[in-house]
Amino acid sequence: MRIEVLGCSGGIGAGLKTTCIKINDSILIDAGTGLELLSTEAMLKLRHIFFTHAHLDHICCLPLMLPTIYDRLKQPLHIHASDTVISALRDCIFNWTVWPDYTQLPDQAGSLLRFREMPIDSTISLEGLLITALAVNHPTPTQGYLIESSEGAFAFSGDTASTPEFLSRLYSVKRLMHLAVDVSFPSEQKSIAKASGHYTPASLKADLDRWPEGCPKPSLHITHLKPGYEDRVMEQCQQLLSDWNVLRLRSGDQLTFESDD
Ligand SMILES: [Zn+2]
Ligand SMILES: [Zn+2]
């Protein structure tokens, strides 16, 4: 499994791209502004996009990509998401007012987009991977994803505030090598973090303190940092989570899975 981080920031600005993670050549998790980094050829290889939720920083580049590829895409693009996200895309984006309805283009017989509802706790088997949607805690229905391959597993929280259930589901995952978790705000901004549904270093520590003794710890990648607060958040994470291998997720990161066979 090859995982490439295209975008993972909580905002935009020079060098900052919002959430978009590529798995192998054909799968994306979210379609934030990180998607802009793909060449047209790479966009044409995409077959599946899994959405965590419908907030703009996670969906904005799906509509923007379609005019680039629609006339050369040989197979439909499958959109896997909760019913809330599918409704939001249909009603609020592809409604001819905000953007053309690409579910009707190029013609009604052969649309570019295929929507497939992915409920919480469902698993889909795709290209040798098992992809499972896991509930997290954000102001709109949001799901993280667990991606398991023969080489190891990767878990991605999406946007979330404290969500012990998501983390406890991971305790039994075999060879969980990488875990990426949203920590948008420093601990002193706990009010805005709580209101907007994001972890702080302190709230993440409280949940990770429940990680069972003896249960292998994956590398912990901190994602969705708010622009301007990156150093402060990372400093607090390193200090509070000193028993974890804590890394700042960055656009351009490639996560590797070394076999221990
Ligand atoms: Zn969000
Ligand atoms: Zn977000």
Side-chain angles (χ1 to χ4, degrees):
M1 171 161 61
R2 277 180 294 110
I3 294 187
E4 186 180 349
V5 179
L6 300 171
C8 58
S9 176
I12 59 168
L16 299 177
K17 302 284 181 190
T18 68
T19 304
C20 185
I21 295 175
K22 188 158 78 73
I23 300 165
N24 298 333
D25 287 331
S26 65
I27 300 170
L28 290 183
I29 300 178
D30 286 339
T33 63
L35 197 152
E36 297 170 339
L37 299 177
L38 291 180
S39 65
T40 304
E41 286 63 38
M43 289 180 199
L44 287 166
K45 289 181 183 166
L46 298 174
R47 293 284 171 268
H48 302 271
I49 304 181
F50 290 80
F51 282 107
T52 58
H53 64 310
H55 282 168
L56 269 182
D57 55 325
H58 299 255
I59 65 166
C60 58
C61 278
L62 168 64
L64 298 177
M65 170 175 70
L66 297 176
T68 306
I69 61 171
Y70 81 96
D71 54 343
R72 282 186 282 165
L73 202 61
K74 293 195 171 63
Q75 298 174 49
L77 193 55
H78 296 268
I79 305 299
H80 307 265
S82 67
D83 58 349
T84 304
V85 173
I86 291 171
S87 298
L89 290 171
R90 284 187 187 281
D91 300 342
C92 306
I93 303 291
F94 297 113
N95 57 12
W96 292 108
T97 302
V98 172
W99 206 244
D101 182 3
Y102 276 89
T103 67
Q104 302 293 315
L105 292 172
D107 60 65
Q108 295 192 5
S111 103
L112 292 176
L113 299 177
R114 296 274 196 281
F115 291 101
R116 179 168 175 175
E117 187 184 338
M118 183 143 189
I120 295 294
D121 292 329
S122 65
T123 298
I124 177 170
S125 172
L126 206 62
E127 301 181 9
L129 307 174
L130 288 177
I131 302 177
T132 303
L134 300 174
V136 293
N137 173 15
H138 201 50
T140 179
T142 300
Q143 52 206 40
Y145 288 100
L146 170 65
I147 297 114
E148 296 169 280
S149 76
S150 57
E151 302 144 272
F154 167 58
F156 179 67
S157 74
D159 287 8
T160 189
S162 173
T163 179
E165 307 75 20
F166 169 75
L167 294 171
S168 63
R169 171 65 178 77
L170 305 178
Y171 299 161
S172 58
V173 172
K174 287 202 180 82
R175 299 172 67 180
L176 177 64
M177 293 183 183
H178 299 283
L179 165 60
V181 181
D182 160 16
V183 184
S184 295
F185 297 98
S187 298
E188 60 273 18
Q189 294 191 24
K190 63 181 177 191
S191 302
I192 179 74
K194 194 172 177 199
S196 58
H198 298 281
Y199 268 117
T200 64
S203 62
L204 180 59
K205 177 187 165 47
D207 284 359
L208 284 177
D209 276 352
R210 304 182 194 192
W211 198 269
E213 194 99 354
C215 181
K217 290 176 175 168
S219 292
L220 177 63
H221 302 268
I222 305 301
T223 185
H224 210 274
L225 296 107
K226 286 293 171 200
Y229 293 99
E230 294 95 336
D231 291 346
R232 179 81 180 135
V233 168
M234 288 310 301
E235 201 176 280
Q236 292 180 346
C237 285
Q238 305 277 6
Q239 191 188 11
L240 291 172
L241 300 164
S242 55
D243 50 342
W244 288 78
N245 177 29
V246 184
L247 302 158
R248 176 180 163 189
L249 199 66
R250 291 175 186 271
S251 175
D253 279 357
Q254 312 245 2
L255 306 188
T256 56
F257 296 83
E258 280 171 27
S259 170
D260 57 11
D261 290 342

